[in-house]
Amino acid sequence: MPPESAANSAITSVLREDRVFLPAPEFSQRAHIKSLDEYQELYRRSIESPETFWGEQAEKELVWFERWHSVLNWNPPLAQWFSGGRLNVSYNCLDRWLNTPYADKPAIVWEGEPWDQNKPAQQKTLTYRELHQEVCRFANVLLKLGIRPGDRVIIYLPMIPEAAIAMLACTRIGAVHSVVFGGFSAHSVADRIADSGARLVVTADGGFRRGAIVPLKKNVDDALELKDTRGALLARTVEKVVVVCRASNPIEMRDGRDLWWHEQMQSVPADCAATPMDSEAPLFILYTSGSTGKPKGILHTTAGYLLGSKLTTRLVFDLRDEDIYWCTADVGWVTGHSYVVYGPLANGATSFMYEGAPNYPEPDRFWSIIERHRVTILYTAPTAIRAFMKWGVEWPRKHDLASLRLLGTVGEPINPEAWMWYHEHIGGKRCPIVDTWWQTETGAIMITPLPGAIPTKPGSATLPFFGVVPEVVNDKGEVVPCNSGGKLVIRKPWPSMLRGLWGDPERYRQVYWSDVKDSYFTGDGCRQDEDGYFWIVGRIDDVLNVAGHRIGTAEVESAIVSHPKVAEAAVVGRPDDLKGQALVAFVTLKGAIKPDANLREELRQHVAKEIGPVARPDDIRFAEALPKTRSGKIMRRLLKQVAAGGEIKGDTTTLEDFTVLARLSQTDE
Ligand code: PRX
């Protein structure tokens, strides 16, 4: 397939199903779940007697300091799993392996981005024993700095082992981490500090990305200076900033506030008892975009999250002791939490971590990593696969990818062409592909093939994981007929579900549990085919999925409107061959201000500064007025159509006039 035509396939082709791939018998024989019958039987049990099923799993999978007394207390929409139990996440990821043959097995194998043809790559390996020591040390640093159970810690680091160490150290002492993706701006850091009330920030002097240095510490400095509209400091709860020296990048260290990681680590012991935490103790907060307002702090708690991430990692990736498992996600996203750190380490696996971009120094960096590290499982995003297709098969062909035995995708629908390319050119037609559907809120994979058991159809995430009851419903909450589109809901609670939104219980009910009675609304559109397979279409709320990143249109709009020259803004998505969706902003300007190309670029940079480069609009279109309904609501559907019509050619600064269009279609949307 020529790369051009492959990359051109529109995301809508996700609705075309024409191939079924049966598990290879030699894979099934060794798999954890060996057949469709076995899956169906276990699934039936998990749904008919969820408490028995999950009780057995919790007993088998986790190490408890105190056993729970009830598996589930369900008072919709509030769930408590394994009430009365006490355990510790870092104990389950580290200590449990210490007196076993796993102690000297690599837990994390890391490669930094910098590349010099004449030198070996920057690499680091931490065995379970070494990782345990580092985590204990950093837990002691946190304790020394006064961090106590329940305190919030912001982690704003590049993809370096210290990110996992800091996360695990928090869990060791019961502190609640909130990891902020390194691509977010100072403003975003400040908002997250303010919302979570964090007392400490862990950052680095810089991180490498496509050959450049991301100035993380500088962003933290700026975040700590930002003021709200009343002139008060936004991020005023922060007392200490611990800085990893990663990039030898010159930074300012403020006396009394800023401390070097390596200096702190030298002065503390390498053991630290793991604090027994309640099953429902907050574990982490991860901010994610919603359809309104600022990002929401998704709250996950201890036992259910750990069980979900552990079990799915083993069964979905059919993990084995000898695997070198690589999930390419950044720890700033939920995929990095569940499938770089907690899931793999709770299974005693070797988790590979890479710091940088897939095309640095050349578009074959991933394939070179797979060859050199003998990676066996690769889990990445469709947007990356589409970029690889565009770059061409010559890049993977330069490398020996025979070590791979399983491939996964996550984050957005995968178009069948990208699935086939991945299957053929990366998986050598022998590796099963698991297309995994889940969300920050679900904590762990929810709809997915189990390799060896569930036949796959390119573009479908196939069937639900154990204990998960998804349905496709209409606005009244009734199940729609087979092959009709509808809303994807989850009917029953599951252990790794979010427990709420940090500091906003009412919004939790309203966002997730009010749309369809007693069901969790995912925000996704979906259909179920005649085999019961789920085909996720994508978001049907005002959330966009740009290159696998979740971006709220409302957030981008308020960032644009905060620019002094802007009167109003409306942001919509348009289909994009590479990124799935691209961001298009329609903007009206104040008074007599005239649009020009400079202002367009200024606004794009303004959004990058307010939120982060991931939210920078691909296209900004200036308008005289925005089309509105009689009640004054912006007609987004109309703007989506205009945006999907392609970029305007010629003078792109021309003002668009939607007044006529708006008058023609003035129905309340
Ligand atoms: O729209 C779905 C899409 O990503 C959204 C969740 O985004 P986030 O919370 O950032 O988590 C991403 C990684 C788990 C979902 O609502 N999505 C995720 N995986 C898939 C997907 N869409 C289709 N197929 C998938 N496999």
Side-chain angles (χ1 to χ4, degrees), residues 335 411-413 435-440 524 536 539 545 550:
T335 310
E412 42 178 333
D435 170 358
T436 63
W437 176 88
W438 60 296
Q439 308 179 298
T440 308
D524 279 337
I536 316 289
R539 304 292 306 195
N545 194 328
R550 202 165 139 174

Side-chain angles (χ1 to χ4, degrees), residues 14 286-289 298 329 333-336 339 379 382 409-414 434-445 447 459-461 488 520 522-525 535-541 543-545 548-551:
V14 79
L286 187 57
Y287 286 84
T288 189
S289 297
I298 306 294
W333 310 108
V334 73
T335 310
Y339 300 108
Y379 187 33
T409 72
V410 59
E412 42 178 333
I414 181 163
V434 290
D435 170 358
T436 63
W437 176 88
W438 60 296
Q439 308 179 298
T440 308
E441 292 86 343
T442 69
I445 292 168
I447 303 180
S460 169
L488 179 66
Y520 168 84
T522 61
D524 279 337
W535 296 76
I536 316 289
V537 183
R539 304 292 306 195
I540 48 176
D541 51 9
V543 173
L544 303 179
N545 194 328
H549 297 153
R550 202 165 139 174
I551 312 243

Side-chain angles (χ1 to χ4, degrees), residues 518-530:
D518 283 351
S519 299
Y520 168 84
F521 176 45
T522 61
D524 279 337
C526 187
R527 86 184 157 94
Q528 214 180 348
D529 72 13
E530 52 288 344

Side-chain angles (χ1 to χ4, degrees), residues 272-293:
C272 170
T275 308
M277 300 302 295
D278 194 279
S279 291
E280 283 296 341
L283 179 67
F284 67 81
I285 306 167
L286 187 57
Y287 286 84
T288 189
S289 297
S291 43
T292 54

Side-chain angles (χ1 to χ4, degrees), residues 324-337:
I324 308 289
Y325 160 94
W326 182 19
C327 164
T328 67
D330 191 285
V331 288
W333 310 108
V334 73
T335 310
H337 284 58

